[in-house]
Amino acid sequence: QVQVVESGGGSVQAGGSLRLSCTTSGYTTSAYCMGWFRQAPGKEREGVGDIDSDGSIAYADSVKGRFTISKDNAKNTLYLQMNSLKPEDTAMYYCATEAWWGPVFGRCRFGYWGQGTQVTVSS
């Protein structure tokens, strides 16, 4: 059974940094697309960025140059380094992995989702 668990959220001031981690089990991270998403209160879930099985990475325009996605296949872990955080980055952040079911965001279809980790940025 695939499990996806996010960690690393918290509260920071604008301009600060956080690093989110997404640990998976029962899943070969090297073989599939993985992604980060976020959802702010009253808003739809949006893609932050994803990394495909070939290692190519795509980011949402709103986070380009500030956020960095990386992956450690040996640890089955996906990371999201967030720098220069803004109050508008405040949201619940989710990690998801590719499956043949589920919604399509960008290049991939994501079927396994974690419970999310809260990121709050104060001005």
Side-chain angles (χ1 to χ4, degrees):
Q1 184 176 355
V2 176
Q3 291 187 322
V4 180
V5 180
E6 304 95 336
S7 62
S11 297
V12 296
Q13 290 191 328
S17 298
L18 282 174
R19 188 194 195 201
L20 305 184
S21 298
C22 169
T23 302
T24 67
S25 60
Y27 194 84
T28 304
T29 58
S30 61
Y32 301 97
C33 188
M34 298 182 70
W36 285 101
F37 305 83
R38 65 187 182 184
Q39 187 167 18
K43 294 187 177 182
E44 293 186 352
R45 188 169 299 187
E46 63 176 0
V48 173
D50 63 67
I51 179 168
D52 210 339
S53 57
D54 62 1
S56 61
I57 302 175
Y59 296 98
D61 288 342
S62 59
V63 305
K64 280 181 181 177
R66 300 188 299 122
F67 290 10
T68 302
I69 290 174
S70 61
K71 187 170 60 169
D72 186 333
N73 291 324
K75 296 182 179 180
N76 287 329
T77 300
L78 181 71
Y79 301 99
L80 180 65
Q81 178 67 45
M82 303 186 294
N83 299 327
S84 302
L85 281 162
K86 304 175 181 180
E88 51 263 45
D89 294 319
T90 295
M92 184 72 78
Y93 282 71
Y94 299 90
C95 171
T97 61
E98 188 176 17
W100 59 268
W101 68 90
V104 174
F105 284 92
R107 305 177 290 176
C108 307
R109 184 179 298 275
F110 295 93
Y112 297 105
W113 293 81
Q115 294 299 308
T117 185
Q118 178 67 39
V119 171
T120 302
V121 184
S122 58
S123 57

